[in-house]
Amino acid sequence: MSPDPIPRLPATFNRLAWSNLAAQSAEQIALAAAPIVAVLLLGVGEGQTGLLQTALTLPFILFAIPAGLLADRISRRWVMAASEALRAAALAATLLLIWLGAITLPLLSLLGFVAVCGTVAYSVAAPALVPSLVNSEQLPAANARIELARTVAFASGPALGGVLVGWVGAAPAFGFAAALSVMAVVLLSGIYEPARAPAPRRHPLQEIREGAAFVLQHALLRPVFITQFIFNTASFLLLAVFVPYAVRHLGLSATGVGVTLAMYGVGMVVGALSATRVMQRLAFGTVIGLGPVTGFIAAAVMALTTIIPAAWLAGLSFFLLGAGPILWVISTTTLRQSVTPPSLLGRVSAINIMSYGARPLGSALGAIVGGLYGAEACLYLAAAIFAVQALVILLSPAVSLARQPEMVGEPAGC
């Protein structure tokens, strides 16, 4: 029996998808250009670039929840357009300061922080907006399209940022990123967002508790959140030690390391392109389980390189680490959108993004364990942690879902 044809997505959603591609590309180009500018233009060292990277990641922890509150109170399209305009302004200001020769590390960090605040708000509001633009049957294909745009930007943005800085200088790189952000705003302006009933005004802490309680008490969303938190810890533990391990143990050159890491992006693209058909052929819960299980297999393959030091095994590991979990992102986003009342989608999306807070935890764990016991111990520990996250999801009711749940409405009395 042949699978159903991939559903055709409405034009208004396609504008969102293109806007997402422009916004994600702007983010990746700017994130790649900032440390290059810091090193080549300002001559800063490793410790100072570490502070810059901290400034570029803090907004995900500080502003995800406020962005979710905002996305549940007002137009999500407006939140996305305003946040992208904020990012465009910060990138344009960086461009101007570089041209004037007035850029400093504190200013670069501050403007980068502001730009990433725009990224956070856009990333929180986008998944909450999608269900109002497509029907239930179109959700998996829509999320796959959104994730493909993010994947393409993730895979090509850093390289493009580096090339732009190398060929035409730092200022034009930020100018190009700002132009992409403006393009994202223009595309958003043509989207029709159905009106929502006004949300009752309550204390922000009450609304935050409501969103957190919904996730942590929901039989399907709680194990998804826990799995994602553990996955982020394990993946960044692995990433924290891979480069020195690859050079010392696998004998890879700088080019070899780059090619191996690039397999992660290749896996993401392959996974995103195949996601819709995979979700048509397999039970919905099976697709949810694929990501964590593939993550564990990827970590086991990487740990195997301590015995068989082959570069192709490391490349296979990164390919699997990209391909499987992208199916996880698409399927669990669809699940979250299906079982969450529309008035809670912004806060639930924000709480999901808070799981990214595990990333610095994984990096710190890599620094401590790697420093005490070596990179090999980190790879074994990463495989063990990946096994835990696979076990959490496999023991949950989420993997027993035969099909995508019906989309819920607002509870009675709301």
Side-chain angles (χ1 to χ4, degrees), residues 83-350:
S83 63
E84 201 58 31
L86 176 68
R87 175 158 54 189
L91 294 172
T94 305
L95 162 69
L96 181 63
L97 288 172
I98 293 174
W99 266 345
L100 296 175
I103 193 69
T104 63
L105 183 63
L107 285 173
L108 183 64
S109 300
L110 175 62
L111 290 170
F113 179 89
V114 172
V116 176
C117 287
T119 297
V120 171
Y122 188 104
S123 300
V124 166
L129 177 61
V130 170
S132 66
L133 304 180
V134 301
N135 60 38
S136 178
E137 291 74 22
Q138 295 170 324
L139 263 183
N143 288 322
R145 182 78 60 83
I146 291 289
E147 200 57 32
L148 178 60
R150 187 183 75 88
T151 298
V152 170
F154 184 89
S156 63
L160 184 55
V163 168
L164 284 171
V165 172
W167 284 2
V168 296
F174 283 99
F176 184 62
L180 286 172
S181 285
V182 171
M183 185 185 303
V185 174
V186 172
L187 287 165
L188 286 169
S189 67
I191 293 175
Y192 168 73
E193 179 184 3
R196 306 197 314 272
R201 294 292 176 175
R202 292 173 294 167
H203 194 282
L205 288 179
Q206 183 182 356
E207 295 193 56
I208 293 171
R209 282 196 298 269
E210 184 181 21
F214 183 84
V215 172
L216 298 178
Q217 294 174 11
H218 198 285
L220 298 174
L221 297 186
R222 181 178 61 253
V224 165
F225 177 83
I226 294 171
T227 299
Q228 188 154 312
F229 188 91
I230 299 173
F231 178 91
N232 276 297
T233 302
S235 60
F236 273 71
L237 164 60
L238 190 155
L239 287 171
V241 300
F242 175 72
V243 173
Y245 170 79
V247 172
R248 178 177 57 82
H249 187 79
L250 302 181
L252 294 183
S253 64
T255 301
V257 171
V259 170
T260 304
L261 290 172
M263 293 304 295
Y264 178 69
V266 173
M268 290 177 70
V269 172
V270 171
L273 286 172
S274 61
T276 303
R277 296 196 182 278
V278 169
M279 293 179 73
Q280 288 179 335
R281 286 175 166 83
L282 300 179
F284 188 76
T286 300
V287 180
I288 289 177
L290 271 178
V293 170
T294 306
F296 167 67
I297 294 172
V301 170
M302 185 63 76
L304 182 61
T305 64
T306 62
I307 301 171
I308 306 172
W312 70 268
L313 281 175
L316 174 62
S317 173
F318 276 108
F319 177 85
L320 293 173
L321 200 59
I326 210 75
L327 296 173
W328 161 269
V329 172
I330 294 167
S331 59
T332 56
T333 299
T334 302
L335 173 66
R336 199 175 299 114
Q337 292 163 336
S338 299
V339 303
T340 304
S343 61
L344 274 172
L345 268 173
R347 281 163 286 171
V348 170
S349 177

